[in-house]
């Protein structure tokens, strides 16, 4: 049986995914986790922000580890990372640890958290770890059809697209096989990422 801390992390993920960040208080998490000790959440996490940090750390540790493995394999290729390989490094770890984790509500949690200005920074500190930044840097370097000032912005938009798609898939009662879901999402993200830009020229910044 999971320990009290794990139960509260799971409960916090569920509450945020189903009701938004406003539904997640320390008291609500304790109740949802079946904790009778009224100071359990305060003891384990210190504050609501500390609980959010704990949820993000617990979910993103395996995602970042898997992403680092994919990036290491790409680096071993003599021809270097491809745009598709980098998109797979972005999407596959998230898909495996959301759609591939029974009962996951993590993508829905991320989608809720990313729209809350008070907690987006807390989430970003963990989500945008070293492996994610390596993917962003790699993609910026290969997006030759996108003006340089728009490249990192394009990657951010595709990241939100991936999270939103996974969040929608998490809530569907019937899904395609995981490998089909992942391959299709990679195709969609790659198409959006590499689409030639028709935006007006971005003026150079003033010195």
């Amino acid at each position: 049986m999971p320990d009290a801390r794990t139960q509260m992390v799971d409960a916090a993920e569920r509450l945020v995914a189903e009701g938004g960040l406003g539904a997640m208080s320390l008291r609500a998490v304790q109740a949802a986790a079946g904790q009778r000790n009224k100071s359990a959440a305060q003891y384990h996490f210190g504050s609501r922000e500390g609980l959010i940090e704990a949820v993000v750390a617990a979910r993103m540790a395996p995602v970042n580890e898997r992403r680092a493995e994919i990036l290491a394999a790409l680096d071993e290729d003599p021809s270097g990372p491809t745009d598709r390989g980098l998109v797979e490094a972005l999407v596959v770890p998230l898909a495996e640890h959301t759609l591939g984790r029974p009962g996951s509500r993590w993508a829905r949690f991320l989608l809720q958290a990313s729209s809350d200005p008070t907690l987006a920074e807390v989430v970003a500190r963990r989500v945008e770890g070293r492996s994610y930044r390596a993917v962003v840097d790699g993609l910026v370097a290969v997006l030759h059809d996108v003006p340089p000032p728009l490249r990192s912005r394009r990657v951010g938009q595709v990241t939100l697209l991936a999270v939103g798609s996974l969040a929608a898939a998490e809530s569907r009662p019937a899904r395609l096989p995981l490998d089909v879901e992942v391959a299709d999402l990679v195709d969609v993200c790659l198409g959006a990422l590499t689409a030639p830009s028709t935006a007006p020229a971005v003026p150079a910044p003033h010195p």
Side-chain angles (χ1 to χ4, degrees):
M1 182 176 179
D3 60 22
R5 180 184 176 88
T6 299
Q7 288 177 329
M8 286 186 284
V9 165
D10 291 344
E13 180 190 69
R14 182 172 69 254
L15 288 171
V16 172
E18 296 177 353
L21 284 163
M24 197 211 77
S25 65
L26 294 184
R27 181 177 297 179
V29 168
Q30 287 176 173
Q35 296 297 310
R36 296 182 179 179
N37 183 344
K38 295 182 179 179
S39 62
Q42 182 74 31
Y43 171 78
H44 283 285
F45 308 108
S47 65
R48 185 169 180 266
E49 181 176 295
L51 175 55
I52 292 288
E53 289 261 20
V55 176
V56 179
R59 299 300 184 245
M60 286 310 298
V63 171
N64 287 331
E65 182 177 344
R66 177 73 171 108
R67 184 171 290 136
E69 291 174 358
I70 296 174
L71 288 170
L74 291 176
D75 287 339
E76 292 176 1
D77 189 325
S79 60
T82 62
D83 49 8
R84 184 175 189 88
L86 289 164
V87 170
E88 288 175 347
L90 175 68
V91 171
V92 169
L94 281 172
E96 289 178 345
H97 291 280
T98 53
L99 304 188
R101 179 166 64 89
S104 171
R105 296 172 176 82
W106 176 236
R108 284 170 282 176
F109 178 103
L110 275 181
L111 196 62
Q112 292 279 1
S114 65
S115 63
D116 187 295
T118 63
L119 290 173
E121 183 178 348
V122 176
V123 173
R125 283 201 298 270
R126 292 283 186 174
V127 172
E128 298 180 6
R130 182 181 301 174
S131 63
Y132 175 78
R133 291 193 295 272
V135 169
V136 173
D137 292 344
L139 286 170
V140 166
V142 300
L143 293 182
H144 304 301
D145 293 330
V146 180
L150 299 179
R151 291 177 186 174
S152 60
R153 177 184 174 87
R154 182 79 67 95
V155 177
Q157 291 169 330
V158 166
T159 301
L160 286 175
L161 170 62
V163 171
S165 297
L166 292 170
E170 272 187 344
S171 62
R172 286 199 297 266
R175 300 177 192 159
L176 296 170
L178 180 61
D179 59 344
V180 176
E181 293 268 13
V182 171
D184 187 57
L185 182 54
V186 168
D187 290 340
V188 169
C189 289
L190 184 62
L193 190 68
T194 59
S197 176
T198 61
V202 179
H206 294 294

